[in-house]
Each structure stands twice: as structure tokens, then as C-alpha cells.
């Protein structure tokens, strides 16, 4: 990390809140949603769940690999794609794609970020094999769902003084509404320190680009291939046709491989001067795309018939992968195991593939919102997502008020599930029985068989969400369609004094979810104190309410203009802590007096208090289109001072970059661990502070 970037991080995000105390136990641990079946199959857990975009092997010896997805950064593997770990330290964007690794120094990696605020969008760089990142060149013309190669290194440009290749190209997108801002082919000749837009390249924006090992640049458009021999100053059209994909490999610097619709594979062995059709017979794949050629043996190839990227509305989700072991002369459908290792349903996605540079049989591929791996050159692929934890909770999760081993975790798009063993294994629940999954936005485990949920047929929309329950451990689901949830605060909670009582949004049950009564003076119950049973909730958009009689009646204790996100009760002081957008207020229940506490978080969304030591408190915040480094903060003095629990670039701490973009935090009443439930980055936990 450069000194300039560290200064930027500290000034923008930390603002004096990064000082300890820290402890050796302050290491985030992922909590993957994995079932007993997957454990028995030998998996350790990686539910995936986000739309993957690009994947690459280190081009020299394949000792590490990287992949990125549309909204949750990137992951790194150090064992040829068998297991993964998140690799987002210092990365300030959301989506990550266009990974390119310098063959002259494989510690140097570039990637693009998108789906972010303007200052978070553009090119990032890493000098430690993708373990940490810093922004390099920010430009608004980038986004998510980017499947084509558009970032390339000229490996003939090695600079001994810099220790890296000096020339890198980026072919940007052209985002609607930003056409007046620079876009097209950008170039750096000083290792990324400065970038400039090459003249006459604006029309190339958004297309695919590769750079061969001899320094020649190729751009593939919808109807042609263009070549530059002079570093992008000029381009010649070298092929016309309905193009699908282009590929070059380091071991054949003069060879160019491309897919052409209704034609098949074309290959040039003279840098594009002449092309030969390699595919024999009729080639009836409509949208051949995402071509990958093995550097170890160019006869080994993989491609995909991708109707989604082609915009075929009649068959949008047809994405079929094919392999060839004879140089593209014949193609055969790859077998993708859609069951083994999957906790959630397999969904069709782009099967973008990367071959190991030294072993023609090993290939990594995307698809099913997961990582797939082949050991037979693309004939078969199996789930290889251990460590890729990307669940989006959508709204809230919860621990049972009496037993921290019972935890319920809903999920947007993928239903979610529950655990009866503290998160070691989970049971998938089909809250909506759709082939692709379903939407659940709040959940609570009453016992090992009874789980309740706030479910929806659409993404989180007031008036469309309803109460659901299972009474047989997820085998069947009962829909209470008349129990519409009237708020987007999708909290599910249980009474700490009476295990028959629970809450789903504005609905209350006293008979273990068999029947429900609508509450008129509380719209959501945030939490229940594990000792005295005090319930904390919200009514409308302005009132914080409490109940001392298990939700039979509610008392207004504080009022605000709006933006109430969460609240927690401190029984030792009889005070509430209310998360209100960017603010945390401490409220004296008896007098109504309020004091604002400066936590240092951005867009505060949740607050939690340790059930054993009430001086230990936590808050979390997130910003949907910009990453904040202080997303989880802890206080050990009752909220007077705060320190960040997120790893910072250069802070010397170890462990994963966990709890990125949390939507909710809760303390396990049994173990005192803090759990962070995130939007698209999975579930994480961290031990209680030592000595407190």
C-alpha cells in the first residue's frame, strides 16, 4: 500500500476511530451455509450465491487464481482453485472483473471495479498477488456484469527499474448518460502511474480486447477483429464476421483464436494476417462465446453458447458449455455436476473458463453462482467453491432468545436456512419453492423443527411480503398469505420469557406460529433482552417502542423524524441505543433524554449489546455504492469510545477482510460471538474481546 493511499483511507474512513484496543482474537471467521450432505461429501463450505464475472490463473505457473463477481469483490485461491478466501482488503468498489496478472512479475495484478460510487469505479492494482488492493485510475465508465476481457498487459514492456511491465491497456465501457466523459482505449506506459485516452478509439468502448505475448493488440467487436502493431496508435481490420469471442495464449504469441457465429473456431498462426476455419462440419451454436484455450496444449479448448450476453429474449437463460480436445475441430457438451457440493440451487450463468498454464487438464469455470473445477480438460466440472461465501441476507437474521445454537438466516434470491448446531451445518428451507430459489427477508428459529420467516414473491417490497412457517424442520412450508408485513424493517424475533411467543414484522404469535395477530402499535421487534425480556421495536417511521409484557402492549420511549434502523436495550442502565441512519443515540427510558454517540461509521444500520457485559457494544454501517473501511465498530466502555473491527490496509492485523458491507449484527447469546450478516459477502463471526 502506498503512503498516499493509506493517508486517504485514514482521512476518509477512520477519522480517529481506528485506535484499539485490539486483541489476538479479533479475527473474522466465515460462517458458510453448508448442509450435512455437503459436509459428508468432503466440502468445508462456500455457498457462493453471487453472479460471477471473470476468473484467471496466474499465467506463469498457476500457483494462484482470482475471480470476481457482480457485487461482492473478489476471491483468491492458492491451491489451483480447490479452496478460496476473500481478497478485498483495500478494494473500494463492489463488482470486480478484468483481472490481468503481469507475466514479468506475478505479484502485480490489475482489475476493474464497478457498481460503485464514482470515486470507487475504475482500475485497482495489487502488488501481493491479489491479497490487497488500492485504487489506481478511477473512471465512471465501468459497471458490473462485465464478461469480456478488456484489461491487458504488454509483457514486452518490462521495466527493470519499476520491476513490472510498464504498458497496460484498458478498454472502458461507455455508460449511458456519461457519453461526454472520456471513454475508449486507455493506456499507461509507466506501470499505471498515469493514463491517457488513445485517439480514435472511442468507438471501441465496451468491446473485447487482448494483448498477445509479442505486444500486438487485438480488439473484437460484434462484426470484426482489429489489430494494432504500434501500441494502439493505429488499428487495421483483419477479419469480418459475426464475432463471438477472441483469445490469445502466451505459449503461442503469433496465434489468434476466435469464435464466429455459425462458422465455429477460426485460427491465425501469423498474427492475424490469415485465418483458417478449424471447426469441421455444421456449427449450429448460435452465440459462441467465452473462448478459453489451454496454454499447455492449444488443442484443449472450452467455449459457451451464451444466449444471455447475446440478448436472446426467447431463450435468455440458455448458457451451455462445450469443450474440444482436437483444436476446435469438434465440440462436445461439458458435463456440469449441478448437485454435488451445492447448498443452494444451481442457476445458469456464464461459464467463463481459465486453463492452468502448465496442466491442460485443470480448468476453472464460473456458473451456478459458484466456482466449478475440471481435472479432465473441460469434459466435466464439479463444484469447487469452498471459501466462497457470498450470501445476501437481504434484511435480517436472528438467534433464538434461549439457545444460541439455533440461528435462522434468510436470503434474497436463495431462500436461506437455519442451523441447530451453532452454524456448523444448515438446513435449506424452500420459503418459496422456485427452481432458482426464493426470497426471504427475516427469520427466527423457535425450536429445531419450527422456523418462521418473512417471505416475498418479489424483491423486498412493502405489501408484497408475508409470514411463512415450517413446523417440520423445513420439509414443508406454510404460507400465511393474509399476514402481510407492513414495513421494510423485516425483523423476526422471539420472546426471552415465553418460548411460545414470536414476532414476524408487525405480526405476533402466542402459539408457536400456528396463528398470528397483527400488532397495531409496533411494526417490527428488533430484539429481546435475554435476562429481563424487554422487547425493543419500532412503530411507523418515527417511534421507538418497548414492551415489558411480551408484546401485548407497547410504550413509546423516543421519537425521531425517521430513519430508525435498529435499537438495543441496556438493562444495566435502563437505556436504549438507537441506530438512526448516520447516528447512534443513547436514550434514557425514564427521562427521555438523548445523547448522540460518535461511532465513526457511515450509514449506521445496526447496533448490538453483549448479553453478559453491557459495556461491550457493537455498531455496523454500510454504504450501498461505496465501501467504508469502518463498517463494524466496537466499544468496551458502554459507547463512549469506539474502534474498528475491520482490517485496514497496512494495520498489521491478520485474517480475512471479513464483515464487509454488513446489514445486521447480533451477539450470540450462548457464545458471545458477534455475528455480522452482510449484503452479498456472506456471514461472519468474531470472538468477544479478551478480558471483557
Amino acid at each position: 500500500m502506498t503512503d498516499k493511499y493509506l493517508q486517504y483511507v485514514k482521512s476518509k474512513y477512520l477519522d480517529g476511530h481506528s485506535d484499539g484496543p485490539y486483541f489476538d482474537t479479533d479475527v473474522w471467521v466465515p460462517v458458510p451455509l453448508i448442509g450435512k450432505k455437503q459436509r459428508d461429501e468432503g466440502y468445508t463450505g462456500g455457498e457462493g450465491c453471487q453472479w460471477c464475472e471473470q476468473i484467471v490463473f496466474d499465467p506463469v505457473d498457476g500457483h494462484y487464481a482470482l475471480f470476481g463477481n457482480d457485487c461482492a469483490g473478489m476471491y483468491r485461491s492458492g491451491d489451483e482453485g480447490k479452496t478460496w478466501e476473500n481478497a478485498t482488503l483495500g478494494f473500494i468498489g463492489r463488482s470486480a472483473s478484468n483481472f490481468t496478472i503481469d507475466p514479468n512479475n506475478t505479484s502485480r495484478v490489475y482489475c476493474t471495479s464497478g457498481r460503485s460510487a464514482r470515486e470507487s469505479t475504475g482500475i485497482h492494482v495489487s502488488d501481493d498477488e491479489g491479497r490487497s488492493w488500492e485504487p489506481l485510475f478511477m473512471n465512471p465508465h465501468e459497471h458490473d456484469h462485465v464478461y469480456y476481457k478488456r484489461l491487458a498487459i504488454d509483457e514486452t514492456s518490462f521495466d527493470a527499474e519499476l520491476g513490472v511491465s510498464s504498458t497496460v491497456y484498458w478498454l472502458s465501457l461507455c455508460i449511458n448518460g456519461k457519453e461526454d466523459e472520456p471513454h475508449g482505449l486507455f493506456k499507461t506506459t509507466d506501470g499505471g502511474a498515469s493514463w491517457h485516452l488513445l485517439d480514435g478509439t472511442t468507438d471501441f468502448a465496451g468491446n473485447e480486447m487482448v494483448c498477445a505475448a509479442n505486444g500486438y493488440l487485438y480488439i473484437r467487436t460484434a462484426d470484426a477483429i482489429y489489430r494494432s502493431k504500434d501500441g494502439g496508435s493505429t488499428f487495421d481490420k483483419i477479419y469480418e464476421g459475426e464475432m463471438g469471442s477472441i483469445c490469445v495464449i502466451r505459449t503461442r504469441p503469433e496465434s489468434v483464436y476466435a469464435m464466429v457465429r455459425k462458422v465455429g473456431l477460426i485460427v491465425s498462426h501469423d498474427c492475424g494476417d490469415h485465418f483458417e476455419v478449424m471447426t469441421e462440419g455444421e456449427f449450429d451454436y448460435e452465440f459462441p462465446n467465452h473462448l478459453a484455450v489451454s496454454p499447455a496444449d492449444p488443442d484443449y479448448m472450452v467455449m459457451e453458447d451464451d444466449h444471455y450476453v447475446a440478448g436472446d429474449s426467447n431463450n435468455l437463460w440458455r448458457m451451455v458449455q462445450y469443450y474440444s480436445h482436437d483444436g476446435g475441430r469438434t465440440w462436445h457438451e461439458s458435463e456440469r455436476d449441478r448437485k454435488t457440493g451445492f447448498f443452494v440451487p444451481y442457476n445458469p450463468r456464464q461459464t467463463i473458463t481459465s486453463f492452468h498454464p502448465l496442466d491442460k487438464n485443470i480448468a476453472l469455470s464460473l456458473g451456478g453462482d459458484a466456482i466449478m473445477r475440471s481435472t479432465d480438460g473441460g469434459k466435466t466440472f464439479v463444484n469447487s467453491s469452498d471459501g466462497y461465501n457470498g450470501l445476501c441476507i437481504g434484511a435480517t437474521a436472528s438467534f433464538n432468545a434461549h439457545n444460541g445454537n439455533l440461528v435462522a438466516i434468510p436470503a434474497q434470491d436463495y431462500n436461506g436456512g437455519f442451523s441447530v448446531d451453532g452454524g456448523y451445518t444448515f438446513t435449506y428451507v424452500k420459503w418459496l419453492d422456485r427452481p432458482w430459489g426464493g426470497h426471504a427477508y427475516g427469520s427466527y428459529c423457535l425450536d429445531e423443527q419450527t422456523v418462521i420467516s418473512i417471505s416475498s414473491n418479489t424483491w423486498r417490497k412493502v405489501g408484497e411480503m408475508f409470514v411463512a412457517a415450517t413446523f417440520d424442520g423445513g420439509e414443508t412450508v406454510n404460507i400465511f398469505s393474509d399476514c402481510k408485513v407492513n414495513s421494510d424493517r423485516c425483523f423476526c424475533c422471539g420472546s426471552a420469557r415465553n418460548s411460545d411467543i414470536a414476532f414476524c414484522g408487525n405480526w405476533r404469535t402466542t402459539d408457536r406460529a400456528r396463528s398470528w395477530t397483527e400488532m397495531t402499535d409496533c411494526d417490527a421487534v428488533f430484539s429481546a433482552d435475554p435476562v429481563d425480556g424487554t422487547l425493543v421495536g419500532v412503530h411507523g417511521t418515527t417511534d421507538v417502542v418497548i414492551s415489558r409484557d411480551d408484546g401485548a402492549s407497547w410504550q413509546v420511549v423516543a421519537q425521531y423524524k425517521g430513519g430508525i434502523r435498529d435499537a438495543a436495550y441496556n438493562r444495566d442502565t435502563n437505556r436504549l441505543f438507537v441506530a438512526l441512519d448516520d447516528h447512534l443515540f443513547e436514550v434514557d427510558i425514564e427521562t427521555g433524554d438523548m445523547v448522540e454517540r460518535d461511532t465513526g461509521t457511515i450509514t449506521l444500520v445496526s447496533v448490538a449489546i453483549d448479553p453478559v457485559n453491557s459495556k461491550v457494544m457493537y455498531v455496523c454501517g454500510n454504504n450501498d455504492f461505496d465501501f467504508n473501511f469502518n463498517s463494524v465498530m466496537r466499544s468496551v466502555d458502554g459507547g463512549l469510545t469506539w474502534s474498528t473491527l475491520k482490517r485496514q490496509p497496512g494495520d498489521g492485523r491478520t485474517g480475512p477482510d471479513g464483515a464487509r458491507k454488513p446489514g445486521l449484527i447480533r451477539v450470540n447469546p450462548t457464545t458471545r460471538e458477534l455475528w455480522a450478516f452482510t449484503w452479498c459477502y456472506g456471514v461472519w463471526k468474531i470472538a468477544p474481546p479478551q478480558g471483557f
Side-chain angles (χ1 to χ4, degrees), residues 270-464:
D270 54 10
C271 303
D273 287 339
H274 306 87
F275 281 92
E276 178 184 0
V277 177
M278 302 302 298
T279 302
E280 299 173 349
E282 185 178 355
F283 185 81
D284 57 1
Y285 310 120
E286 292 190 76
F287 304 106
N289 217 324
H290 314 308
L291 175 66
V293 180
S294 169
D297 183 348
D299 280 346
Y300 277 50
M301 302 176 175
V302 171
M303 67 91 178
E304 179 185 37
D305 189 14
D306 186 353
H307 291 239
Y308 183 92
V309 168
D312 179 13
S313 58
N314 294 322
N315 208 357
L316 195 63
W317 297 104
R318 177 175 170 78
M319 290 172 261
V320 183
Q321 189 176 37
Y322 298 90
Y323 74 93
S324 174
H325 285 177
D326 56 11
R329 290 173 175 79
T330 60
W331 295 90
H332 314 277
E333 184 173 345
S334 299
E335 180 183 342
R336 298 177 70 85
D337 185 341
R338 291 166 166 79
K339 298 295 183 182
T340 305
F342 282 93
F343 178 78
V344 299
Y346 177 103
N347 279 310
R349 297 287 189 257
Q350 283 70 30
T351 58
I352 296 166
T353 302
S354 178
F355 278 97
H356 191 285
L358 303 180
D359 190 333
K360 66 182 181 181
N361 289 306
I362 297 177
L364 299 176
S365 182
L366 310 177
D369 285 348
I371 304 304
M372 308 287 281
R373 188 172 187 267
S374 175
T375 57
D376 55 12
K379 286 184 178 180
T380 59
F381 286 89
V382 298
N383 191 317
S384 190
S385 298
D386 277 343
Y388 172 28
N389 309 307
L391 186 80
C392 176
I393 66 160
T396 70
S398 64
F399 291 102
N400 180 274
H402 312 273
N403 180 1
N405 286 323
L406 302 179
V407 55
I409 302 177
Q412 179 171 283
D413 299 330
Y414 280 114
N415 280 315
F418 69 97
S419 174
V420 300
D421 54 13
Y424 182 71
T425 60
F426 285 84
T427 299
Y428 182 74
V429 181
K430 295 180 180 179
W431 295 115
L432 288 182
D433 191 7
R434 304 290 191 270
W436 48 266
H439 306 304
Y441 290 101
S443 197
Y444 179 77
C445 233
L446 283 84
D447 55 47
E448 293 188 359
Q449 296 295 314
T450 309
V451 189
I452 57 177
S453 174
I454 296 174
S455 301
S456 176
N457 288 305
T458 63
W459 275 9
R460 191 176 176 183
K461 183 178 180 182
V462 175
E464 299 292 334

Side-chain angles (χ1 to χ4, degrees), residues 63-131:
H63 76 276
Y64 77 96
L66 295 164
F67 82 86
N69 63 36
D70 66 335
C71 63
M74 74 285 286
Y75 289 74
R76 183 184 185 279
S77 173
D79 57 7
E80 299 180 335
K82 297 173 186 175
T83 61
W84 301 86
E85 59 184 358
N86 76 325
T88 50
L89 186 64
F91 185 73
I92 63 172
R94 289 201 64 195
S95 70
S97 62
N98 286 306
F99 297 95
T100 185
I101 300 171
D102 191 346
N104 292 309
N105 180 350
T106 56
S107 293
R108 171 62 66 98
V109 191
Y110 301 90
C111 78
T112 59
S113 62
R115 201 176 185 177
S116 308
R118 178 189 179 95
E119 63 182 4
S120 307
T121 298
I123 300 174
H124 282 66
V125 65
S126 170
D127 282 310
D128 56 9
E129 299 182 346
R131 293 181 176 89

Side-chain angles (χ1 to χ4, degrees), residues 17 53 60 64 127 136 152-153 168 195 201 211 297 348 375 464 488 517 541 576 584 595 645 653:
H17 294 278
E53 296 187 336
V60 176
Y64 77 96
D127 282 310
L136 185 66
I153 293 172
V168 185
W195 296 77
T201 63
C211 187
D297 183 348
T375 57
E464 299 292 334
D488 65 354
T517 302
T541 60
L576 286 179
L584 180 71
V595 177
L645 285 179
R653 286 190 279 180

Side-chain angles (χ1 to χ4, degrees), residues 58-61 101-104 106 155 211-214 248-255 293-295 357:
D58 149 35
V60 176
D61 60 14
I101 300 171
D102 191 346
N104 292 309
T106 56
E155 66 176 278
C211 187
N214 60 7
V248 294
I249 54 176
R250 293 189 69 233
T251 52
R252 300 289 191 276
E254 288 79 30
S255 296
V293 180
S294 169

Side-chain angles (χ1 to χ4, degrees), residues 614-630:
S614 63
K615 289 187 177 297
V616 178
M617 300 178 55
Y618 306 90
V619 294
C620 76
N622 67 58
N623 190 330
D624 197 28
F625 290 99
D626 185 17
F627 174 58
N628 53 307
F629 285 83
N630 50 357

